[in-house]
Amino acid sequence: MCLLSFSLSRLLARNEKQRSDNHPALPFYFAKNLDLKEQRFSFRSGKNVLHGSFYQKSIISKRPLIVFFHGLGSGRLAYTRLIAAFCEKGYEVVSFDYTGCGESEGKWIGPLTHVYYDLEAFFTYLKSLPHLCNREIFTVGHSWGGYAALLSLDSKFSVQKSISFSGFSKYSLEISHYFPEKLRKFLLPIIKETLFWEGGVNGDRDALKIIKNTSSKLLYIQGEEDCMVPLFAGIMRIEECAKKNQNIKTILLPKKGHQPYLTLKAEKHYTECIASGILSLKSSSKKSLNLSLATELDKNVMNVVFDFLEG
């Protein structure tokens, strides 16, 4: 058992003991490209300084502040168009890069559950800003950030509403789906033991322990064809909580994949570009990412999102 756990630990280290930075093959929108005002800030999480930005349109918003949590990949920069959509509705949005991501310090990202410590440091920083001390807080996140959005409903963070796009609910379940289904039941205890080695008692923090009795409102959205976060680690577990807690709402979108806030055309284009090998340093692919198409937001999904925030 210990040998298997050690082997799995080394396997995970290939992904966890590296940084998550912007990829040179992928273009990104910057705040200025979308007519957003950006105010940068920094705060300390453990030994590392993390960097982020406040985003808004020209008019100072009196609406709740939206905290946006990014997924695994390129930090907050990969979500500028989605962030801009909230700003266009009159919200001010704040987002930061986690440890080992984007502009923030850190040799590597570590176990993904480490994001909870970054959340603690961020909300401590946020509460230190006098002009935000009485502001309502909403949170939104995607994938790894969707997990962070679930964790943000911990009562000590005082978040009123949260939206999780395709967030995994427990890291061990997310990892388990990379193995054949017949092996998962056997491997799950080993995965949990490995995460304990990697992150201690919080190495496999279960978001359901936080949300099951939450008095805050949660909207969870996932695509039925999500290949990155399996349904059994995402919406299926959230639905079980929703049966006992009326503050939780779930939506499963047909034909959608891991980025359900995008149009079907956008998801298809992005998937085809990645499948062509454009991220490889030795790539000879003739395809290139059309940034406008790849970030095209699904208006129907976004209307549901805004109705939830404003309801």
Side-chain angles (χ1 to χ4, degrees):
M1 180 75 80
C2 290
L3 181 60
L4 285 172
S5 184
F6 177 79
S7 300
L8 181 59
S9 178
R10 296 306 90 209
L11 180 64
L12 289 176
R14 294 179 184 177
N15 293 321
E16 294 177 345
K17 291 193 175 179
Q18 63 181 356
R19 285 188 55 86
S20 180
D21 293 319
N22 303 335
H23 197 285
L26 299 178
F28 298 101
Y29 283 119
F30 293 90
K32 62 183 180 181
N33 301 134
L34 300 174
D35 194 29
L36 295 179
K37 296 178 67 176
E38 179 181 12
Q39 181 180 352
R40 293 176 175 269
F41 66 92
S42 60
F43 63 98
R44 186 171 292 278
S45 178
K47 298 179 180 179
N48 298 304
V49 175
L50 308 189
H51 297 277
S53 300
F54 285 91
Y55 302 94
Q56 62 183 35
K57 286 292 188 178
S58 56
I59 300 176
I60 297 177
S61 175
K62 293 183 180 180
R63 288 190 166 195
L65 177 71
I66 290 180
V67 180
F68 186 89
F69 301 117
H70 68 78
L72 187 63
S74 303
R76 69 190 192 279
L77 189 59
Y79 296 89
T80 312
R81 188 166 179 183
L82 182 54
I83 288 171
F86 292 103
C87 293
E88 287 165 4
K89 284 289 186 177
Y91 292 99
E92 182 178 14
V93 180
V94 58
S95 186
F96 67 94
D97 295 338
Y98 318 140
T99 297
C101 299
E103 297 179 340
S104 293
E105 294 180 350
K107 291 183 180 180
W108 50 67
I109 58 176
L112 300 193
T113 49
H114 183 274
V115 73
Y116 184 79
Y117 300 111
D118 288 346
L119 261 65
E120 288 184 313
F122 169 73
F123 280 107
T124 297
Y125 163 76
L126 205 63
K127 290 176 181 179
S128 72
L129 302 178
H131 66 290
L132 293 177
C133 62
N134 294 318
R135 191 92 164 265
E136 273 193 304
I137 305 291
F138 294 167
T139 57
V140 181
H142 169 243
S143 192
W144 184 15
Y147 172 65
L150 297 175
L151 296 180
S152 74
L153 290 178
D154 190 320
S155 59
K156 68 181 179 182
F157 298 140
S158 302
V159 170
Q160 283 75 41
K161 292 183 179 182
S162 183
I163 297 173
S164 175
F165 290 111
S166 311
F168 55 86
S169 59
K170 195 174 184 181
Y171 192 28
S172 57
L173 291 174
E174 165 63 14
I175 294 170
S176 72
H177 94 278
Y178 290 102
F179 298 94
E181 186 174 354
K182 292 182 179 180
L183 290 178
R184 287 176 194 158
K185 187 176 181 179
F186 171 71
L187 288 175
L188 201 55
I190 303 173
I191 294 172
K192 292 178 180 179
E193 180 181 342
T194 303
L195 293 175
F196 178 80
W197 281 17
E198 296 284 333
V201 293
N202 293 316
D204 193 25
R205 183 182 287 269
D206 190 349
L208 260 63
K209 291 183 178 180
I210 290 176
I211 71 168
K212 65 180 182 179
N213 295 317
T214 185
S215 58
S216 303
K217 294 188 179 299
L218 168 65
L219 174 62
Y220 184 93
I221 302 176
Q222 190 170 16
E224 68 175 3
E225 297 181 11
D226 192 338
C227 295
M228 298 299 293
V229 173
L231 300 187
F232 65 78
I235 196 166
M236 291 174 66
R237 294 191 83 218
I238 308 298
E239 283 177 338
E240 288 302 309
C241 284
K243 292 176 182 178
K244 301 177 182 179
N245 188 337
Q246 294 183 346
N247 292 316
I248 301 173
K249 180 181 179 181
T250 63
I251 299 176
L252 182 64
L253 295 173
K255 300 182 181 180
K256 290 293 184 78
H258 188 53
Q259 299 164 295
Y261 50 86
L262 295 179
T263 63
L264 292 174
K265 289 191 302 181
E267 279 205 289
K268 181 180 179 182
H269 174 66
Y270 181 82
T271 301
E272 288 177 347
C273 285
I274 300 303
S276 74
I278 63 171
L279 298 185
S280 171
L281 296 177
K282 299 180 181 179
S283 174
S284 59
S285 173
K286 295 182 180 180
K287 291 187 75 70
S288 60
L289 192 77
N290 179 324
L291 184 58
S292 177
L293 175 57
T295 59
E296 185 178 71
L297 301 178
D298 186 317
K299 293 181 180 179
N300 292 328
V301 173
M302 294 308 296
N303 284 339
V304 171
V305 165
F306 294 131
D307 285 346
F308 170 77
L309 293 178
E310 296 168 8

